[in-house]
Amino acid sequence: MFGCEGLCRFLMKSSGTTELNAFYPIRPECQGDVPAPRFKPRAGKTLSQRRWQASFSEDGHLDIAKVLRRIQRGGVHPSIKGEVWEFLLGCYDPNSSLEERNELKQRRRGQYDMWKAECQKMVPVIGSGKFITTPLVDDEGRPIDPSLVTVHTSDKKVLQWLQLLHQIGLDVVRTDRALVFYESEVNQAKLWDVLSVYAWLDNDIGYVQGMNDICSPIIILIENEADCYWCFDRAMRRMRENFRCSASSMGVQSQLATLSQIIKTVDPKLHHHLEDLDGGEYLFAFRMLMVLFRREFSFADTLYLWELMWGMEYNPNIFINYEDPDAKTKGPSPVNDKVLKQYGKFERKNVKTGYTEENCALAVFLVASVLEIKNRRILNEAKGVDDVVKILGDITSNLDAKKACTEALKIQKKYLSKAKKA
């Protein structure tokens, strides 16, 4: 039998597909419908378990600059993705010690347990290893099945949350169904629990379809449920506004408007063509931005894409900005060449140019890069928005994540240069 480190070394030398199937096994009946992943861990490029461990000092401080270089070169090995993502998403400060992180982790786990217990008092099925897919209450807030709901309330917050829980359950059933991991009801319930607690705590947005697609990989990669919650919470800090919806607007529209401005600036001919097709609002890119390309890439390639993006967007102030929101108002710290190395490539460019547009995430430039890749076909073949959707649909499983990110960085550079001259 292999130990964890031995398995890691063996898999790094084995074929990429074999390795990924070991970490994210596909149900036999689904294997013919799931595209083969393009991502393959590569020795010397991918951040391995050995290099990850070597990036920590004796007391646990992380050399984040070294880690970012490796991630941007070849992604993260599946055996350590979860713990690496916790740093990329700002759960932990690279400048903290192992002891400090363990203290923070225990405190957060206790906090999550309290929140979950609060939810369990209202809906006992939470935390039971099971979940629900049918409505719990009627429109008046009366329990449909009193054995499932222990509270009868007219409180708006409680009522709205109770009305969300079965929709979360229905989405859980549809989430990553091809993976063996979700054949287990306990694993599905873990996803439902995290989304349910998050919806209870987020008084403003709650739960919106698509959050399940963002949360699912985290559930698979991180064993402890409380740690999953905090990692998902940090992921949502980056994406939350995309899920803000009203009767007349969607949160993601602000990013679509930025996408429109980028294409108008770097490729006016393509932008005008899309406008002529009534596609000037770029709604055809809605799904890509909403769930970060989950539909355009295989599961393994999605994880690779996300860590490339988060690595390129990394800002060393992310942890303190989340822990202490007032820190943002104090202004940025002085940045020298040594500090700049602790930023990802994308964020480093923004810092150097002083660009601070909030809706200009790397994902927006990534969509722009896809449009540029399909530029000729769109200009020559698209006679309507449906044609644009079809052309973009052809990228599914045919897009190289690293090349797309590299192109996105080129478009960012071009856009910032032109915007500065304007």
Side-chain angles (χ1 to χ4, degrees):
M1 293 292 288
F2 288 104
C4 184
E5 193 170 340
L7 176 64
C8 183
R9 283 199 302 271
F10 168 75
L11 290 176
M12 283 290 274
K13 295 178 182 177
S14 65
S15 79
T17 302
T18 300
E19 175 178 0
L20 294 173
N21 285 344
F23 282 97
Y24 322 121
I26 306 296
R27 294 165 59 179
E29 66 272 24
C30 299
Q31 288 180 355
D33 302 322
V34 176
R38 299 169 70 94
F39 169 67
K40 293 177 176 58
R42 301 183 188 279
K45 291 189 176 182
T46 301
L47 179 64
S48 65
Q49 187 178 55
R50 180 181 65 81
R51 284 193 176 271
W52 171 244
Q53 292 171 345
S55 299
F56 289 92
S57 67
E58 193 172 326
D59 65 350
H61 290 77
L62 177 65
D63 186 342
I64 191 66
K66 182 190 294 185
V67 167
L68 291 177
R69 285 196 300 272
R70 181 65 63 167
I71 292 173
Q72 291 166 157
R73 193 180 303 161
V76 180
H77 191 271
S79 62
I80 55 170
K81 280 185 188 291
E83 53 192 291
V84 175
W85 282 22
E86 288 180 304
F87 281 90
L88 291 180
L89 290 169
C91 294
Y92 299 117
D93 184 356
N95 292 319
S96 62
S97 67
L98 178 61
E99 182 180 356
E100 289 170 333
R101 290 196 295 276
N102 284 337
E103 288 178 2
L104 177 59
K105 180 178 290 188
Q106 293 309 314
R107 191 161 66 247
R108 285 176 174 168
R109 287 179 177 180
Q111 180 67 72
Y112 177 76
D113 288 344
M114 288 175 57
W115 288 331
K116 188 175 178 182
E118 186 179 355
C119 294
Q120 281 177 310
K121 286 181 180 179
M122 296 180 283
V123 181
V125 71
I126 289 176
S128 70
K130 298 183 180 298
F131 64 104
I132 58 102
T133 56
T134 54
L136 290 174
V137 294
D138 60 22
D139 292 338
E140 303 298 323
R142 291 186 295 264
I144 293 173
D145 182 346
S147 68
L148 295 177
V149 182
T150 60
V151 60
H152 177 203
T153 180
S154 57
D155 181 274
K156 186 179 180 182
K157 170 181 165 64
V158 175
L159 182 57
Q160 287 180 336
W161 179 68
L162 291 173
Q163 290 171 335
L164 279 174
L165 294 182
H166 82 282
Q167 183 57 57
I168 296 175
L170 290 171
D171 289 344
V172 163
V173 172
R174 293 190 283 260
T175 304
D176 291 319
R177 286 181 292 184
L179 298 179
V180 169
F181 181 86
Y182 283 118
E183 286 185 318
S184 162
E185 185 181 17
V186 170
N187 290 338
Q188 289 181 311
K190 180 181 172 185
L191 175 59
W192 185 71
D193 285 350
V194 169
L195 291 170
S196 298
V197 174
Y198 181 86
W200 171 246
L201 296 171
D202 189 329
N203 297 325
D204 193 14
I205 295 176
Y207 172 81
V208 177
Q209 191 173 57
M211 290 182 181
N212 54 308
D213 291 308
I214 304 301
C215 190
S216 173
I218 296 170
I219 294 294
I220 293 171
L221 295 177
I222 299 177
E223 184 174 356
N224 182 275
E225 184 180 310
D227 297 346
C228 287
Y229 170 83
W230 287 103
C231 195
F232 175 63
D233 172 79
R234 293 316 191 239
M236 287 303 299
R237 300 278 185 110
R238 310 167 76 96
M239 304 177 59
R240 184 171 174 274
E241 290 306 308
N242 280 0
F243 291 95
R244 186 184 296 280
C245 298
S246 68
S248 58
S249 67
M250 300 168 292
V252 77
Q253 281 180 313
S254 56
Q255 285 195 337
L256 293 174
T258 302
L259 173 64
S260 173
Q261 185 60 41
I262 292 170
I263 296 298
K264 184 178 180 179
T265 301
V266 303
D267 193 342
K269 184 177 180 181
L270 177 60
H271 177 74
H272 292 319
H273 182 63
L274 291 171
E275 280 194 320
D276 291 341
L277 301 178
D278 289 332
E281 294 184 349
Y282 289 73
L283 291 175
F284 50 80
F286 170 86
R287 190 180 69 183
M288 293 183 192
L289 291 172
M290 192 77 165
V291 293
L292 279 189
F293 295 86
R294 280 299 315 263
R295 303 293 182 272
E296 284 69 36
F297 288 85
S298 68
F299 182 80
D301 288 338
T302 296
L303 307 193
Y304 177 43
L305 174 70
W306 287 5
E307 63 208 19
L308 284 178
M309 292 171 61
W310 294 337
M312 291 178 179
E313 290 180 316
Y314 187 79
N315 184 314
N317 300 312
I318 185 174
F319 172 81
I320 189 62
N321 287 341
Y322 287 160
E323 291 295 300
D324 178 15
D326 292 335
K328 284 187 176 181
T329 64
K330 299 172 185 174
S333 303
V335 177
N336 54 39
D337 288 342
K338 183 178 179 181
V339 173
L340 272 176
K341 291 179 181 178
Q342 298 174 26
Y343 287 79
K345 291 179 181 178
F346 178 82
E347 186 64 11
R348 191 183 307 153
K349 189 72 175 178
N350 288 335
V351 170
K352 284 182 175 180
T353 59
Y355 191 73
T356 57
E357 171 58 55
E358 288 189 5
N359 295 313
C360 240
L362 178 55
V364 181
F365 286 96
L366 198 62
V367 176
S369 77
V370 172
L371 289 171
E372 286 297 282
I373 290 169
K374 295 295 183 181
N375 172 303
R376 186 173 298 177
R377 280 195 64 191
I378 293 172
L379 289 174
N380 293 337
E381 300 176 23
K383 309 301 180 186
V385 176
D386 288 346
D387 294 330
V388 177
V389 172
K390 184 177 183 303
I391 291 168
L392 294 180
D394 291 343
I395 71 169
T396 303
S397 76
N398 291 318
L399 196 62
D400 183 286
K402 188 173 183 181
K403 286 182 180 178
C405 284
T406 301
E407 285 302 310
L409 292 177
K410 290 179 181 178
I411 292 175
Q412 179 205 24
K413 182 178 180 180
K414 184 177 180 181
Y415 173 70
L416 292 179
S417 175
K418 287 181 175 287
K420 189 176 181 179
K421 294 175 183 178

